[in-house]
Each structure stands twice: as structure tokens, then as C-alpha cells.
Amino acid sequence: MPWCEVRKEMVEQKGLDPEVADRIEKYVTMKGGKGDSQTAVQLLDTLKSDEALMANPKAKEGITQFEKLLGYLRSWNALDLISFDLSLARGLDYYTGVIYEIITEGSRPPTSPSTNGVAEIKASDEKKTAKKAKQIADEDEDRSDDPTVGVGSVAAGGRYDNLVSRFSSSKNADIPCVGVSFGVDRILSITKKRLEQGQKFSYITSKTTDVYVMAFGGKDFDGALKERMEIANQLMDAGFTAEFTYKEKPKLPAQFKKAEQAGAPIGIILGQDELKEGKVKIKVMGLPDGDPRKEGVLIEQKDLLSEVRKTLAEERVRTAIEERSVGKAGSGMEATKVSVEELQAAIEKLKVGEVAEIGGVKYST
């Protein structure tokens, strides 16, 4: 719905002061990000420089939260995938922070800017949208059929920190939450179309976790959440499967437990002092007491990918030796002799990311 129609409803039907409506227009017509005239960061800077806006405590809190979100997106190298849209709204009042909608690549239709900064919509689309609005029974419905969003959003949600506590028996319950609902039919339709076009979805894998990224430090340590995100993203881009906890300041024992539950053979530990020197520790999980590598090996951060590939290769071969020399219990695998030459050749292949065969079984990093 174009702004002129929104303003008309606000003033004529809801009785809002026209001057207030005009002040609202200044903000709800702002957008920044993918497909817009400015980036999300530029729009954020514009809002932060608005003295009147920053004087409002709730507005200031929202901007602070969004600035934090942009920092996380920067760590994931994903800033170019979002649009910061101040016209976005959710129907129910339990949301307490950032809200979002997700659209597929290419679903945003071409638009031409109008004089008031709002995309123009054909009259027929306006009528359809108005009719649709009258039929909405669920106030929290997303904008799946909004013509300004192309084929529509496939998911939507936001943060609602106080919602769960309303149903808790404890009056002092503090349960922060963030959620998302998915449009299953729409996702299935898009997936079917992509399959018909020959897409293989090769990025979907059943591989177990290769690396678990952890961090620890002193009382003044911030938890290195952004750094953990950056390391995990770097590993994923290189083809490894990586995990980390999303808590800002997790305790190290809890992180080791998560790594064990994930079945990760390798842990990357970001130490407070080591990070300042551009170094991290790479640790093989589950080593026995007395093993010189049990506490981890300090490496240069720039060598992370090559060291992870090398260590994974060695672990794959070590596992193969154990399985083939004594037979894997309960698996029906018979003990098989493996030559030193075969093991060395396998290690070299695994180090460069190739598939290696040991005793008739294929291994990969």
C-alpha cells in the first residue's frame, strides 16, 4: 500500500494529527541495503545523527540493537544480503526488538521511486492489496502477497523477550526469545522450480561437524562472539562444517561439552591473549592424558585452514588405522593390514582435500 493511502487511513479513519503523520512519513519511507539507494550501514548512520530520534529512549534502544545486528552480519560477511526497511511492521504487540522477513533471491520486483520515496504500485495491485487487508484475520500475518515484495516472503519473525514469561509460573522469569515462522508451501514451490531448473543443492550435506569453535579469557573478556562467527564463516567457506555456541560469554567446559555432543574431531580455541597476537589453538578432541597435543597446538591464524585440513587428514588416517588394524567393534569390519606407503599417500591426498582410500574404505576431510 503506497504511503498516501496509509496516511489517509491514519488521519481520516484513525484520527491522527496530520503533522504527526507527516513526521512518521520521514522515517517509514527510509530503506537501506540490497537493491536500495543506500546501504544499511549508511541508513543506520543517518538515524544515529538524528538528534530528535536519538532523544527518544525506545528509538535509541532499537538503533543500538540494530547496530549490534549489523556487526554480527559483518562477521558473517552477509551485509550485502539485507535491506534495512523502516516500513516493515508486525501486527502483534509482543515483539520487543528486531523484526524481519525473508525473501528469495530475485523475488523483489523492479520498482520506480515516486516523489515521496515510496515505490509506485499499479492501481489494480492497490485494489487487490486493500481487499486482502480487509480479509486478514490473523493480525500477525506476514506480507507474503504484498506486491512490493514480489513473490513474497518465505519466512518472518522477530524478537519477543517477554512472551514466554507470560506463561511461566515464576513472576521473575527472564526468558529471551527470538523466533521465525516458515511458509512451507511457498518454500516447496520455490524448491520444486529450482529442481526443475537443474539445481542440485550440493551445499546441503549430512556431514557431521568437522570443527567446533570456542573461546575463553579472563573476567574482562567479551567472549569473542564476533571472532567466533568470523572463524566459523571462514571454515564454512572453505568447505568444512563448523559450529559454535551463540552465547556471548559461554563457559569453556560448556563449550567442550557442546563440541563433544556435536562429534567434532577438532576444536579451535580463541584465547584472549592469543587473539591479540593473531594466533589460535587447534586441538584434537578426545586425546588421552599424556598426549603432547592434549592442550592444543598454537598456530598462526593465517594458517588456520591449512592446519585444519592437515589435522583432519591425520585424524581420518588415525581412525582408519584403528578400525583396520583391530576391526571396528560391532561393525562387521574385518581387520586389514595397511602399508605405511598407503597411509602416507592417504594423508597427502586428505591434506589437499582429495578423497583417500584406506583398506578399501574412502575417507575425506
Side-chain angles (χ1 to χ4, degrees), residues 286-298:
L287 290 176
D289 292 338
D291 192 297
R293 300 175 299 164
K294 186 172 179 61
E295 299 303 319
V297 178
L298 199 63

Side-chain angles (χ1 to χ4, degrees), residues 2 18 36 87 135 196 215 231 237 255 262 283 301 305 311 317 329:
D36 302 316
S87 70
Q135 296 173 345
E196 291 172 350
I231 292 292
D237 284 346
Q255 294 178 86
K283 173 179 169 59
Q301 193 168 330
L305 296 180
T311 306
V317 171

